[in-house]
Amino acid sequence: MPAPPACQPPLPLSPSSQLTPLLPVRFPPFKIPSPPCLSPSVHHSTSTVFSDISRAQLVEKPAPAPPPPQPPQDLPPDGGTIAWLTLAGAWMVQFCTFGYLNAFGVYQDFYTREFLSHHSPSSISWIGSLQLFLMYALAVFVGYAFDTGYFHHVQIFGSLLHVFSVFMLSLAKPQQYYQVFLSQAVGTGLGVGLLFLPSLSILSHHFRKRRALATGIVLTGASVGGIVFPILLNHLLTLPSLGFANAVRIAGALIVFLLALANALMRTRLPPKHRPLSALFSPDAARRIARDGAYMWSIAGAFCTNLGLFVPFFYLQLFSADHAVNATVTTYILAILNAGSTLGRTLPVALADAFGVYTMLLPAILTSAALVFALFGATATPGVIAVAVLFGFSSGAYVSLIPHLLQTLCTDLSELGVRMGLAFSLVGLSMLVGTPIFGALLDADGGRSLVWWTALVFAGVCIVAGFTFMTISRSLFVRRNRRASDQSPPPAAASA
């Protein structure tokens, strides 16, 4: 009788025979029937291996868990007692800093004709220009201190330094240039530089929708200070019973009172942001900023504009006195200029949200240039008054719109502080050299007479160049926005 055929073991499944399903489907584990000759151990091993392979290939992986919900952002309240008290304190800081610097034209006139008469107008203007430069040059580091929670420390130290420097100026002696330079240019400039930017940045803690309005209100403090301090100093310096020292001390006492009240009123609301100082100078951020054409051309425009923009604030009173304008008008001409600046710092900023910042900024720059050239014919009292009022309005609009412009051009809000600090520092260089160059051109005749026409041409041409560069910035900004809108998907596709 023939022997039964030998039992063959089951053929292993080749990789090509294992079909991967197109859709993930769950299958229960199953067993392949084995020939009866297989032992139970072999049958168990085969079914177990195939079951494990099937599970690994066919069982759908669970979807990842959704990220935890983010806490709602702590938005500014846009009002309230603390917010408005902080705004009032910031207004007082602007009054005592930028407002006090706006009165330097009084010092320029007094130093040129009496107190520092042995020195040229260009040398004297270095005092005021260094003040303006330091007010902006410290912006990067002061902004970093503000972000990391040192707002009150910076404000208190800046207030003490500003007050100390003003009272040290009262101790300066006639014809001692270095004493005036150290106390007024270096000391006051550093103090104002520590106070100026944080008093504007603190508004972001309390205002969001009303931030432009709040900024415009605070900046009127500089204009009102530019009205009060010139009237006060002009009146006190003409009183023989007081003299220069007491006149400066009275102005210093007003600054002491207002800065003490401002420090008591201002409050922070948001927690500090802890980040290393090296983060401010990241190479990647530097490359992104350098490739932003609209931003870089706007800095070039502001640099050229500021070379000539502050000339009337320094020299308009001297211009009036040199052209035999009415003595009373000459005394109040800087107050008239800053009165026009008060409206210019509020109305254009409010309209910029509706019509666009460039729409308001470019006419302000061009008008300022035209008014500088208008001084060629404004040699009588009515003409000087008209130029002062209109130039105050246009220059005030320009100064108030520049921060709004930098916020508009910023593509990443985390870089806003760096971009504003860089812009202010570079523009501060033009403030440092602009008015001394004007003074050197004014003294081109060797001190025998003041040569106004060359100096006015320099100032006007610089502002026109600034207008040209700012126009280029606007065209690049419009092109960038159009490119971004073309690349963005239509609303239906985006929602899908």
Side-chain angles (χ1 to χ4, degrees), residues 85-386:
L85 288 177
T86 300
L87 184 145
W91 187 93
M92 296 176 192
V93 172
Q94 291 292 312
F95 180 96
C96 297
T97 54
F98 206 173
Y100 180 70
L101 266 57
N102 280 341
F104 184 77
V106 177
Y107 289 108
Q108 177 81 35
D109 181 36
F110 181 74
Y111 293 162
T112 302
R113 293 190 290 137
E114 296 184 32
F115 201 73
L116 296 176
S117 58
H118 295 172
H119 299 269
S120 67
S122 178
S123 299
I124 294 170
S125 65
W126 277 105
I127 299 171
S129 65
L130 185 60
Q131 287 180 316
L132 291 173
F133 168 73
L134 292 176
M135 184 177 72
Y136 284 94
L138 302 180
V140 173
F141 303 101
V142 172
Y144 171 78
F146 174 82
D147 289 339
T148 51
Y150 291 97
F151 169 74
H152 291 291
H153 303 75
V154 172
Q155 288 293 291
I156 292 174
F157 182 73
S159 300
L160 293 175
L161 180 59
H162 185 22
V163 169
F164 174 77
S165 301
V166 171
F167 280 95
M168 289 302 295
L169 176 63
S170 68
L171 301 178
K173 303 300 181 184
Q175 309 306 329
Q176 299 299 314
Y177 179 84
Y178 77 95
Q179 296 178 1
V180 178
F181 187 86
L182 289 176
S183 58
Q184 190 169 13
V186 179
T188 299
L190 290 173
V192 168
L194 293 173
L195 292 169
F196 175 72
L197 183 60
S199 66
L200 295 177
S201 302
I202 192 62
L203 298 176
S204 63
H205 283 213
H206 302 278
F207 296 93
R208 183 173 62 96
K209 295 180 180 178
R210 300 180 180 179
R211 188 177 301 170
L213 175 62
T215 302
I217 294 173
V218 168
L219 287 174
T220 61
S223 298
V224 176
I227 297 172
V228 173
F229 282 113
I231 294 175
L232 178 66
L233 290 171
N234 270 315
H235 178 69
L236 297 177
L237 289 174
T238 57
L239 297 178
S241 58
L242 286 179
F244 174 78
N246 288 326
V248 174
R249 287 167 190 157
I250 292 174
L254 178 60
I255 294 174
V256 170
F257 172 75
L258 291 177
L259 287 182
L261 185 58
N263 279 279
L265 292 176
M266 291 186 294
R267 291 289 183 272
T268 59
R269 195 186 60 86
L270 300 177
K273 302 174 184 177
H274 299 287
R275 57 176 179 172
L277 185 61
S278 59
L280 297 177
F281 308 100
S282 168
D284 293 336
R287 282 192 292 269
R288 284 195 303 271
I289 293 173
R291 292 171 182 170
D292 190 345
Y295 172 77
M296 298 304 296
W297 279 104
S298 70
I299 292 181
F303 184 94
C304 293
T305 300
N306 283 18
L307 283 173
L309 190 77
F310 286 89
V311 163
F313 289 92
F314 281 41
Y315 289 100
L316 188 57
Q317 182 166 324
L318 182 61
F319 177 87
S320 301
D322 192 55
H323 288 80
V325 175
N326 182 277
T328 303
V329 173
T330 300
T331 301
Y332 291 100
I333 195 64
L334 289 180
I336 295 171
L337 188 152
N338 284 288
S341 178
T342 303
L343 186 60
R345 291 175 187 266
T346 52
L347 183 59
V349 174
L351 295 176
D353 292 331
F355 298 100
V357 61
Y358 281 106
T359 306
M360 308 306 299
L361 180 63
L362 291 174
I365 299 175
L366 189 60
T367 302
S368 298
L371 290 169
V372 169
F373 287 117
L375 284 174
F376 282 106
T379 56
T381 300
V384 172
I385 294 176

Side-chain angles (χ1 to χ4, degrees), residues 352-424:
D353 292 331
F355 298 100
V357 61
Y358 281 106
T359 306
M360 308 306 299
L361 180 63
L362 291 174
I365 299 175
L366 189 60
T367 302
S368 298
L371 290 169
V372 169
F373 287 117
L375 284 174
F376 282 106
T379 56
T381 300
V384 172
I385 294 176
V387 170
V389 173
L390 296 175
F391 187 87
F393 182 89
S394 62
S395 62
Y398 166 82
V399 170
S400 299
L401 288 168
I402 286 296
H404 190 27
L405 172 68
L406 296 176
Q407 294 173 7
T408 303
L409 293 176
C410 185
T411 56
D412 184 357
L413 290 179
S414 64
E415 298 176 354
L416 180 59
V418 177
R419 286 173 175 259
M420 293 188 70
L422 176 63
F424 284 168

Side-chain angles (χ1 to χ4, degrees), residues 13-40:
L13 295 174
S14 64
S16 61
S17 64
Q18 300 180 14
L19 300 178
T20 303
L22 296 177
L23 297 175
V25 182
R26 296 181 179 272
F27 290 98
F30 60 92
K31 301 178 181 179
I32 298 177
S34 60
C37 63
L38 285 177
S39 63

Side-chain angles (χ1 to χ4, degrees), residues 67-79:
Q70 298 294 330
Q73 187 179 5
D74 188 10
L75 297 177
D78 270 324

